[in-house]
Amino acid sequence: MNETLLSCKTTCAFSEMTTDDLEGQPQRRPATSPHETSERDWLKQNPDGRSLWPKDDAGVFRPLSRRALLGTVQTYFLRWKGDGERHPPPPPIYRTVLAWLGSFLSLLLIGGMHQWINTQWSLPLLLSTFGPACALVFGLPTLPASQPMNCMGGNLVGGIVGLFWRVLVGRQAWLAMALSCSTAIAAMEMTSLQYPPGITTSLLLSTVVPESTFQSVSIGNNVTYNWCIRTLLEHSLLLRFTDGCKILLSTVIGHFVIILVALIVNNLHPNIGYPKRWL
């Protein structure tokens, strides 16, 4: 009789507890890690492999079991198959003709300016960065990377980064190449100035030897050779900096010409307006 009365009192007291009283009580959470559920259930919960490394209730990463790890590795390599999208069709012939015309006029102007500027001020304009720049601005004019802000800003970001590593580790070209390109990519991402040809600018500034570092040397029988004196110039930070500034200025002039021609040629297309934005 006493035991029955005690159990009734306990039941009544528990029923009178409010939600606030239950907040401090420990509650069971649904299992989220493979250690609390079976491996099969966890694999069903993560069919696409988004949770590659699951956490426990405390938020600590827990190692996967062997079967779950194999499933995760298999899911990872299945991503290599792609999404099954088909190759896009070629653009209309009118757009292709405009892309050819814009690239031809831009590089023709840059080449003509090189003949005069390089003779007067020893400023080379025949740089490889202008090729991918034309392919992007005239071939894909609607992309964000093709807009003037990205062209000029991304080129300057890549050039400044390449110049920095050229001055710092210019004697080790292989190291300057890796550091300049990777740092330029990160800097473009941080400034939202993604511009793939700007990576070429960074590579040029960090590795290419300007024409001013070559001298003609006669070695017997009146045979002339071009001798690179970079090993002598590398010991001077000032010379490395000035040579890099020349290349950077050349890329700025060339990109200005490309954008100017793009404003004229790209707007000849009836359905494409260039630019989409300036800033």
Side-chain angles (χ1 to χ4, degrees):
M1 184 66 178
N2 294 333
E3 295 177 0
T4 304
L5 183 60
L6 181 60
S7 62
C8 291
K9 291 181 179 181
T10 304
T11 305
C12 294
F14 183 80
S15 61
E16 292 177 359
M17 294 178 65
T18 61
T19 306
D20 297 334
D21 297 328
L22 293 174
E23 287 181 355
Q25 302 294 329
Q27 301 178 5
R28 290 185 59 87
R29 298 181 180 178
T32 57
S33 68
H35 298 276
E36 299 178 9
T37 59
S38 63
E39 298 172 356
R40 182 178 301 177
D41 293 339
W42 184 83
L43 291 175
K44 288 181 179 179
Q45 295 173 7
N46 302 271
D48 55 353
R50 293 177 182 174
S51 301
L52 297 179
W53 303 103
K55 300 179 181 179
D56 57 9
D57 293 338
V60 180
F61 287 99
R62 302 291 296 274
L64 295 176
S65 61
R66 181 178 180 182
R67 184 173 180 180
L69 181 60
L70 291 177
T72 301
V73 173
Q74 181 181 6
T75 303
Y76 170 77
F77 283 105
L78 286 176
R79 297 177 183 176
W80 292 20
K81 295 175 61 177
D83 297 332
E85 297 183 1
R86 294 184 176 273
H87 189 75
I93 187 64
Y94 187 69
R95 183 174 173 181
T96 304
V97 172
L98 288 180
W100 180 90
L101 179 63
S103 302
F104 173 77
L105 292 178
S106 298
L107 297 178
L108 184 66
L109 287 174
I110 293 174
M113 293 173 62
H114 169 80
Q115 298 296 327
W116 176 62
I117 294 179
N118 191 40
T119 303
Q120 297 293 329
W121 294 291
S122 299
L123 195 66
L125 288 177
L126 299 181
L127 302 175
S128 59
T129 186
F130 300 140
C134 289
L136 191 62
V137 173
F138 297 105
L140 301 169
T142 59
L143 291 182
S146 303
Q147 306 311 308
M149 182 65 177
N150 289 67
C151 290
M152 298 301 295
N155 178 70
L156 283 175
V157 169
I160 293 173
V161 170
L163 182 60
F164 171 78
W165 289 114
R166 178 189 186 89
V167 174
L168 195 63
V169 291
R171 298 181 62 184
Q172 305 294 333
W174 59 273
L175 182 59
M177 176 185 66
L179 288 172
S180 62
C181 292
S182 57
T183 308
I185 292 174
M188 291 180 188
E189 291 288 338
M190 295 174 63
T191 57
S192 189
L193 292 173
Q194 295 87 349
Y195 184 60
I199 308 301
T200 308
T201 302
S202 180
L203 180 64
L204 286 173
L205 280 164
S206 61
T207 58
V208 171
V209 183
E211 294 181 359
S212 59
T213 61
F214 288 87
Q215 290 183 348
S216 298
V217 180
S218 299
I219 305 178
N221 298 327
N222 296 324
V223 179
T224 303
Y225 297 91
N226 288 327
W227 177 56
C228 177
I229 60 172
R230 181 177 184 181
T231 54
L232 301 178
L233 295 176
E234 283 174 347
H235 295 286
S236 174
L237 295 179
L238 180 60
L239 288 176
R240 269 187 273 168
F241 178 77
T242 54
D243 289 337
C245 288
K246 285 185 178 181
I247 301 178
L248 180 58
L249 180 59
S250 300
T251 60
V252 172
I253 296 174
H255 277 84
F256 180 79
V257 173
I258 292 173
I259 293 175
L260 183 62
V261 175
L263 291 173
I264 300 174
V265 175
N266 285 347
N267 287 305
L268 296 176
H269 197 285
N271 300 325
I272 296 179
Y274 184 86
K276 298 297 182 182
R277 57 177 174 83
W278 281 100
L279 299 176

